[in-house]
Amino acid sequence: MKPASFEYVAPTTLDQALERLAEHGFEAKVIAGGQSLIPMMNFRLAQPSVLIDLNKIAELSYIRLKDDELRIGAMTRHVQVERDALIARHAPLIHEAMTKIATPQIRNRGTFGGSIAHADPAAELTAVTVALDARFRLQSAGGERWVPADEFFFGMFATALGPDEMLVEAAIPVAPERTGYALEEEARRAHDFAMAGAAAVTALDEGGKCSAARLVYFSIGDVPTDAGDAVAVLIGKEPTPDLIQSVVDTAADRLEPSDDIHATAEFRLHLARVLGRRALQRAFERAAVEAN
Amino acid sequence: MARLIGKPLKRNEDPRLLTGQALFVDDVELPGMLHAAFLRSDYAHARLKGIDVSAALEREGVVAVYTAEDMGDDWAPGPPLVIPPPTIEEVTFNTRTQVPLVKEKVRHAGEPLAVVIAESRYIAEDALDDIVVDLEPLPAVVDIERALDADAALVHDDLESNLAAHLVQTKGGYQSAREQADLIIKRRIVMDRGIAGAMENRGIVAYWDNKQQYLTVWDTTQSPIPIRNGLAGMFGLSEHQVRVIAPFVGGGFGPKIMMFYPEEVVLTWATLKLALPIKWIEDRRENFYATTQERGQVHEVEMALTEDGRILGLKDDFIHDSGAYDPYGLTIPLNTQCHVLGPYDIPNFSSELHVVFTNKTLTTPVRGAGRPHGVFVVERLLDIAARELGIDPSEIRRRNYLPNDVFPYDNVIIDQAFANFIIDSGDYLPAMEKALDMIGYKDFIENEQPRLRAEGRRVGIGVVSFIETTGVGPYEGARVTIESSGDVSVATGVGTQGQGHFTSFAQVVAEHLGVKVSDVHMVTGDTAQFHWGTGTFASRGAVVAANAMNAASSIVRKKILELASELLDAPEDELEIEDGEVRVADVPRMSISLGELAQKANPLRGAVEPGTEPGLEATAYFGPNYGATAFGTHAMIVEVDPETMNVEIRRYVVVEDCGTVLNPLILDGQVHGGVAHGIGNAFYEQLFFDDNGQLLNASFADYLIPTSAEVPTIEVGHTVTPSPLNPLGSKGAGEAGAIPVPALMAQAIENAIGEAGFEILESPMSPLKLFNLYYGDKEQ
């Protein structure tokens, strides 16, 4: 379990890093917290010939409020996000998700941008960013572009990132009033990848009727799965337990979960129903508290 | 005498361990040291048609690449470790032992095909990719219930079938018991495979110093002395030319007793050829293939009972998975047979055992070593019987305990030591009652459970009893010396893997010699310091080695008193040894320090009288007639989420009886670790193989070791029933914590679900398995 040989570079500015990436393209890998890449290299599943270490680039680590968006630098450690007051206030779903990511040790090192760019189907942040309508800024030596989260994830470990591009920032809209959130997941051990999970964002109008609802599953398929239309029927209605149950049943019918040693497709589908229901219920309960 | 035995002293070795000052094998760095990496088969079963290592040899930094052919006449299958039992009639045993490097056929995934020796481990691993191997895959034997089918592939071509062993053990007559029974419980029970998962993987540094003609091997083994003797024999060296050192080892749990591992043979062979030190450190992925594993049994069982819940007889026919080879003989399944009988009065017993070869890593003892399987079988049957008869689970156990007046109790069948399975002592009821009391059993059943159930919560309780055979022979020894400083040095042959030997053994020695425990300096597992003994296994250190310490220190005490009596001119019975000096009891000014005595016992001038020995030193041995049997009761409360099948352990209570306790702090640590291990065995840790014998979860991402978040606070209580078999009265405790957990957790989960027909007959469990069981649509 030793990695194959590689060239190691540690630029101190983003521009330098992007230049190296432009130079090496597919041959290179950028390393952020290294919590996924290092094991993959040690198993020789990843054998980059150049490793571009971003850990010395201070300009990529920040959390700030800009206009009506939270901006999170790609190299911001999970632990910083977890403990940040702006995040807790304006993106409580992210706040809730953070403690479910792996272990405290991994969160000390792992980064917000790294987790998203790695695009593990079981990563909480994939579903959370989709549910929150986040956008990602992808930069290359030649320029930058913004990609919405729901267009970013292509497949297992596959994203919209080109070989010369880096995810440098995430922008998350500040939560409107009367909004509720919840993240539910079921993992074998406290820190494990979830067997199934669901992130919900809901809002209630003044009459207690649903005015917005999102439900995004993770660890069910290769990419975060938005329940989409299935939850749209909630809009304008009172979110009763029966209605929520029928919504998650409809949503589950569209899922195509896969088997692994910890959960069969059937068990995953069952968990998706349970967790989707619990996430929506809890999100509506919180929206109701917010509304008061 | 100061009472040191039984004191909860902090461990002497911890400052070194916790500050990174302790030597582990990977800390050994020698000038010119080379590094080895092994090329391992991806296939579980394949014929080796050819290996081309030429490209690897050309890589810069590669010193040598060896295959089985290169070993010439030195290539030989390993010696059997535990010789099949001559004491059981009509036993079939086919000995097939592991090979250093594959010559003709791969028999399990991960079996080594070649070794690269290079300037660094990185280069060695790069060179593995340069080796071209021609393997012809063969159908793999994976499912143990199909291993004996007529059309099954053969793991060993020279055998007619995959049968490794067959034997029948009986006590009384089961058939007649069955005819008298009011109730027969018949079930199929499965225990699947796991690993030991020690924190430190295996590792070896081997160095043949050609000028000194001396071989030194640092090895993570639990048995350094047999390794030394075996290597000397294998390579035609004198035993005094070989030193094996088992330094600090980060967890043993059984697999590190196994010998000889291919790597131990290959590294020694290679250093003898190259005369340079070579290091191999097993990585975690290798550990999943190359280090031995355990569990893997399928039982067809029947229990015959009276209507008031008394066991008339038990019949347990089972298959045991040996893996690709069987150097460890029948230790695991014999333990299973003995522990099916448990603490219970089972007059009639019959057990037919088939051990089968499969294309999987070999099985040898892992903490529990077949005992959890036996406990799972008998406890599950008792739970089912209790339900059918409307008896409380604790009550049915109470009704079947062996009474106190039967000990020593001869169970008639043969145990792992190939002698009659005799339980030396026991007093089961107080342990059970203490556990019930600690967990508040009655109150839970009568008040708390109904209240929680009314809230819709599924909370359940379990209570399970067990025995653990421990402290088997043949013997261990110790040498105790008073140094001229007055400190005490002690050497023993057993190795240490975290058990606290530097403290618990030191307490025994200090008790006799009137010194501080911290002034007793312990050497374990270095054959240059002590070369008689077998090793650390089978929960025997605190029995066999500690009693050798006890014997050696009493001899030294006698020598001290004799000499001091002469020098102080006072009768021995008026002397006391305290604070590192010998005093005349009522005349404090008349004293001599142990250091001064030691110097007087080893004079530079004068004549040593005939028949006397210099120094204040003694070597003594202890070997029990048979093993001491510990026992206890565990109880737990769990909450199950019936929608997700998430299981949360809310309470865990242990009452442990391991006879005389040497150090309760260390004992509780052993129990905690054992329970954590048991929770892993019961609910998290399972190896998954596909039909080709490929392991699907060879990493700690997918093989689930419980962490601090999964292990609850463990409340430990004790009862003390000293063993009559040794002067200290001690029994082993290294495995006890792990043994009853699967049985206990099954009972508690069933109790929490509380629905007819929800019956757990398999371990490890998992949310997926509970889901399949509860929702009725089992896989396949």
Side-chain angles (χ1 to χ4, degrees):
Chain A
M1 282 177 68
K2 303 287 185 204
S5 68
F6 56 86
E7 186 193 339
Y8 172 82
V9 293
T12 53
T13 68
L14 178 59
D15 286 346
Q16 288 168 5
L18 293 173
E19 270 171 41
R20 298 308 292 259
L21 198 53
E23 186 184 333
H24 299 288
F26 280 118
E27 297 294 302
K29 268 300 228 185
V30 295
I31 183 165
Q35 299 303 297
S36 300
L37 182 56
I38 294 286
M40 289 175 84
M41 288 172 66
N42 284 347
F43 278 114
R44 299 200 176 202
L45 296 171
Q47 298 195 16
S49 52
V50 182
L51 196 64
I52 305 170
D53 186 348
L54 306 182
N55 284 281
K56 291 186 177 163
I57 306 176
E59 64 192 282
L60 285 178
S61 179
Y62 55 85
I63 299 167
R64 60 177 79 110
L65 197 58
K66 190 179 174 194
D67 305 324
D68 277 340
E69 283 183 325
L70 279 165
R71 298 291 185 96
I72 304 175
M75 284 300 291
T76 311
R77 309 282 169 192
H78 291 315
V79 65
Q80 291 171 279
V81 179
E82 180 183 338
R83 294 179 186 173
D84 189 84
L86 285 174
I87 298 282
R89 182 160 166 218
H90 297 299
L93 180 61
I94 293 180
H95 181 74
E96 178 164 316
M98 292 322 289
T99 55
K100 296 186 169 158
I101 298 173
T103 62
Q105 295 91 324
I106 288 174
R107 295 200 294 274
N108 283 339
R109 194 75 196 150
T111 67
F112 196 80
S115 175
I116 292 164
H118 183 58
D120 190 307
E124 290 83 355
L125 290 181
T126 62
V128 164
T129 50
V130 170
L132 292 175
D133 286 326
R135 301 178 301 146
F136 304 131
R137 184 154 63 89
L138 315 189
Q139 204 167 330
S140 66
E144 67 168 48
R145 61 185 176 124
W146 283 92
V147 176
D150 63 0
E151 293 171 20
F152 179 77
F153 302 103
F154 283 6
M156 191 179 286
F157 308 124
T159 68
L161 281 165
D164 60 343
E165 280 182 316
M166 251 172 60
L167 189 158
V168 295
E169 185 180 60
I172 292 122
V174 163
E177 286 181 1
R178 300 170 189 281
T179 304
Y181 303 84
L183 185 125
E184 290 281 347
E185 66 175 43
E186 198 58 35
R188 284 302 325 265
R189 294 170 299 179
H191 66 280
D192 276 322
F193 290 124
M195 295 183 284
V201 181
T202 61
L204 291 173
D205 65 19
E206 286 172 11
K209 302 244 166 37
C210 172
S211 58
R214 285 296 283 280
L215 180 64
V216 184
Y217 297 99
F218 59 97
S219 214
I220 302 276
D222 287 351
V223 290
T225 312
D226 192 335
D229 298 350
V231 289
V233 302
L234 285 162
I235 309 284
K237 295 186 184 131
E238 193 185 329
T240 61
D242 285 350
L243 183 57
I244 290 173
Q245 185 65 56
S246 82
V247 162
V248 295
D249 286 344
T250 311
D253 288 343
R254 300 177 190 172
L255 296 172
E256 290 179 356
S258 53
D259 281 329
D260 67 28
I261 56 172
H262 302 304
T264 54
E266 192 186 358
F267 186 37
R268 280 217 152 80
L269 205 54
H270 169 84
L271 288 175
R273 284 198 187 94
V274 172
L275 300 172
R277 188 194 76 225
R278 289 181 182 179
L280 281 174
Q281 267 171 354
R282 212 150 56 80
F284 278 120
E285 281 163 21
R286 283 185 177 162
V289 172
E290 285 283 309
N292 292 325
Chain B
M1 214 184 288
R3 287 305 301 179
L4 292 170
I5 293 174
K7 270 200 168 174
L9 300 180
K10 288 188 180 173
R11 307 198 316 172
N12 277 344
E13 54 267 63
D14 281 349
R16 279 171 77 193
L17 286 165
L18 297 174
T19 57
Q21 305 300 307
L23 183 87
F24 290 82
V25 170
D26 201 11
D27 295 320
V28 174
E29 293 291 340
L30 300 172
M33 190 167 74
L34 301 172
H35 297 265
F38 285 84
L39 179 70
R40 298 181 182 280
S41 172
D42 290 333
Y43 293 110
H45 197 194
R47 207 163 293 287
L48 177 60
K49 314 278 268 191
I51 305 187
D52 179 359
V53 302
S54 54
L57 282 167
E58 280 166 28
R59 181 178 284 272
E60 198 184 331
V62 170
V63 175
V65 183
Y66 299 121
T67 65
E69 293 303 325
D70 295 313
M71 292 184 76
D73 291 344
D74 291 330
W75 186 96
L81 177 53
V82 184
I83 299 146
T87 36
I88 300 175
E89 285 172 27
E90 292 179 35
V91 59
T92 304
F93 189 85
N94 295 312
T95 304
R96 293 295 179 278
T97 55
Q98 68 289 352
V99 300
L101 293 168
V102 170
K103 200 170 213 169
E104 288 156 1
K105 203 167 95 156
V106 170
R107 295 192 178 86
H108 68 84
E111 207 172 1
L113 297 156
V115 63
V116 174
I117 294 162
E119 287 166 9
S120 79
R121 176 67 177 253
Y122 290 86
I123 296 170
E125 289 195 19
D126 289 345
L128 294 181
D129 291 342
D130 301 333
I131 301 174
V132 182
V133 187
D134 185 5
L135 284 169
E136 180 198 335
L138 300 167
V141 182
V142 181
D143 181 347
I144 62 173
E145 288 180 281
R146 292 174 54 196
L148 295 177
D149 286 359
D151 61 349
L154 287 177
V155 177
H156 297 278
D157 299 343
D158 58 327
L159 292 176
E160 285 170 14
S161 76
N162 290 313
L163 184 73
H166 175 254
L167 65 85
V168 177
Q169 295 223 66
T170 56
K171 171 187 176 187
Y174 176 73
Q175 199 50 40
S176 62
R178 191 182 199 282
E179 282 156 18
Q180 294 162 27
D182 299 315
L183 176 69
I184 306 273
I185 305 286
K186 195 169 164 29
R187 292 292 186 278
R188 176 178 176 275
I189 289 177
V190 178
M191 300 283 281
D192 210 348
R193 266 196 189 223
I195 61 164
M199 198 184 293
E200 186 190 13
N201 291 322
R202 288 185 299 124
I204 301 161
V205 175
Y207 177 36
W208 171 249
D209 183 330
N210 202 40
K211 284 190 178 166
Q212 290 202 63
Q213 294 281 296
Y214 195 75
L215 175 70
T216 309
V217 179
W218 288 263
D219 189 353
T220 51
T221 183
Q222 293 172 233
S223 295
I225 295 165
I227 292 280
R228 181 197 73 151
N229 299 348
L231 289 178
M234 236 177 262
F235 296 106
L237 300 167
S238 155
E239 286 170 5
H240 293 282
Q241 279 178 289
V242 185
R243 178 184 183 188
V244 174
I245 304 165
F248 279 104
V249 174
F253 308 124
K256 288 173 183 162
I257 327 159
M258 157 65 194
M259 59 192 171
F260 283 84
Y261 275 107
E263 298 86 0
E264 287 167 330
V265 177
V266 171
L267 255 77
T268 304
W269 179 83
T271 189
L272 284 164
K273 208 168 161 63
L274 298 171
L276 285 167
I278 308 169
K279 177 186 275 187
W280 169 74
I281 300 297
E282 182 185 55
D283 65 37
R284 188 58 69 184
R285 182 168 44 178
E286 287 184 290
N287 182 267
F288 274 96
Y289 295 97
T291 289
T292 56
Q293 306 171 347
E294 220 215 90
R295 324 273 185 247
Q297 291 184 351
V298 177
H299 293 249
E300 296 286 349
V301 278
E302 229 182 80
M303 184 182 267
L305 301 104
T306 63
E307 61 184 356
D308 60 354
R310 277 172 213 285
I311 306 169
L312 293 172
L314 198 152
K315 184 172 191 291
D316 180 11
D317 296 338
F318 66 103
I319 307 171
H320 173 76
D321 182 358
S322 179
Y325 303 97
D326 59 358
Y328 221 97
L330 295 171
T331 300
I332 301 170
L334 290 180
N335 270 341
T336 303
Q337 285 179 323
C338 291
H339 288 75
V340 164
L341 294 169
Y344 306 115
D345 182 1
I346 302 180
N348 302 292
F349 177 66
S350 164
S351 176
E352 180 175 17
L353 162 69
H354 289 90
V355 181
V356 296
F357 289 118
T358 58
N359 290 117
K360 286 181 274 185
T361 299
L362 28 173
T363 58
T364 69
V366 172
R367 201 180 209 167
R371 298 176 184 90
H373 322 39
V375 172
F376 192 73
V377 165
V378 69
E379 297 297 313
R380 290 281 62 212
L381 293 175
L382 280 172
D383 290 340
I384 294 161
R387 204 153 48 225
E388 300 248 333
L389 295 168
I391 303 172
D392 181 89
S394 67
E395 178 58 26
I396 199 167
R397 287 166 171 82
R398 217 185 298 252
R399 287 183 194 176
N400 284 289
Y401 283 149
L402 286 166
N404 287 4
D405 58 6
V406 298
F407 300 106
Y409 179 73
D410 187 345
N411 253 313
V412 183
I413 65 167
I414 299 299
D415 70 8
Q416 60 143 325
F418 310 147
N420 272 31
F421 169 38
I422 301 170
I423 302 180
D424 62 325
S425 57
D427 186 8
Y428 304 130
L429 199 53
M432 146 88 83
E433 286 182 339
K434 188 164 188 172
L436 294 177
D437 188 47
M438 282 169 72
I439 205 156
Y441 190 80
K442 194 162 173 282
D443 181 61
F444 180 85
I445 296 282
E446 288 173 4
N447 302 312
E448 197 176 350
Q449 191 173 37
R451 181 175 63 76
L452 293 168
R453 215 156 244 289
E455 290 172 18
R457 289 169 62 185
R458 310 280 188 125
V459 183
I461 197 164
V463 55
V464 154
S465 297
F466 70 100
I467 55 168
E468 183 202 358
T469 57
T470 77
V472 294
Y475 75 96
E476 289 300 335
R479 185 183 65 241
V480 173
T481 313
I482 309 285
E483 297 185 353
S484 51
S485 64
D487 283 7
V488 182
S489 72
V490 183
T492 180
V494 302
T496 195
Q497 303 92 37
Q499 295 89 342
H501 291 151
F502 287 51
T503 312
S504 54
F505 291 168
Q507 284 174 256
V508 174
V509 173
E511 172 104 20
H512 288 280
L513 301 181
V515 296
K516 281 191 265 179
V517 173
S518 57
D519 289 339
V520 178
H521 308 294
M522 192 71 53
V523 175
T524 63
D526 180 348
T527 63
Q529 297 278 344
F530 201 87
H531 61 260
W532 296 103
T534 48
T536 308
F537 57 92
S539 299
R540 66 196 284 280
V543 181
V544 191
N547 276 288
M549 301 280 164
N550 187 58
S553 344
S554 6
I555 300 170
V556 173
R557 180 181 176 85
K558 199 161 167 289
K559 288 188 177 184
I560 291 170
L561 292 175
E562 271 172 18
L563 184 59
S565 161
E566 194 185 314
L567 294 172
L568 297 173
D569 196 19
E572 281 180 38
D573 59 10
E574 286 179 18
L575 299 179
E576 58 182 27
I577 316 180
E578 293 280 356
D579 305 326
E581 57 182 28
V582 187
R583 299 172 194 148
V584 179
D586 299 324
V587 193
R589 278 167 50 219
M590 286 181 67
S591 69
I592 184 165
S593 74
L594 289 179
E596 203 178 328
L597 270 177
Q599 290 167 32
K600 302 264 190 214
N602 184 24
L604 292 171
R605 293 290 183 275
V608 172
E609 289 179 29
T612 65
E613 288 172 354
L616 298 175
E617 179 176 286
T619 300
Y621 299 90
F622 180 77
N625 289 338
Y626 56 93
T629 300
F631 60 90
T633 294
H634 289 203
M636 90 198 296
I637 294 175
V638 299
E639 177 156 12
V640 182
D641 179 339
E643 283 194 319
T644 63
M645 290 299 162
N646 187 314
V647 176
E648 188 196 341
I649 302 173
R650 301 171 61 85
R651 291 277 305 278
Y652 201 106
V653 165
V654 174
V655 176
E656 165 85 9
D657 191 322
C658 58
T660 305
V661 177
L662 303 183
N663 180 324
L665 210 54
I666 289 175
L667 172 61
D668 286 0
Q670 278 279 25
V671 170
H672 291 166
V675 170
H677 218 144
I679 289 170
N681 295 158
F683 202 69
Y684 294 99
E685 300 183 44
Q686 182 171 6
L687 294 168
F688 294 93
F689 295 87
D690 71 9
D691 293 343
N692 299 316
Q694 289 293 329
L695 181 55
L696 301 176
N697 56 336
S699 85
F700 277 166
D702 286 316
Y703 183 87
L704 312 176
I705 302 264
T707 72
S708 56
E710 285 73 46
V711 178
T713 300
I714 299 159
E715 303 157 59
V716 187
H718 301 278
T719 58
V720 177
T721 309
S723 172
L725 301 178
N726 65 75
L728 288 173
S730 56
K731 301 176 177 182
E735 298 165 89
I739 290 170
V741 190
L744 178 64
M745 203 152 170
Q747 190 194 109
I749 291 171
E750 279 179 9
N751 184 255
I753 294 289
E755 292 179 20
F758 184 86
E759 203 173 274
I760 295 168
L761 297 171
E762 185 177 346
S763 176
M765 293 152 266
S766 70
L768 172 61
K769 288 182 194 173
L770 296 178
F771 168 79
N772 289 336
L773 205 51
Y774 189 73
Y775 290 87
D777 39 3
K778 283 191 189 179
E779 278 182 298
Q780 280 125 38

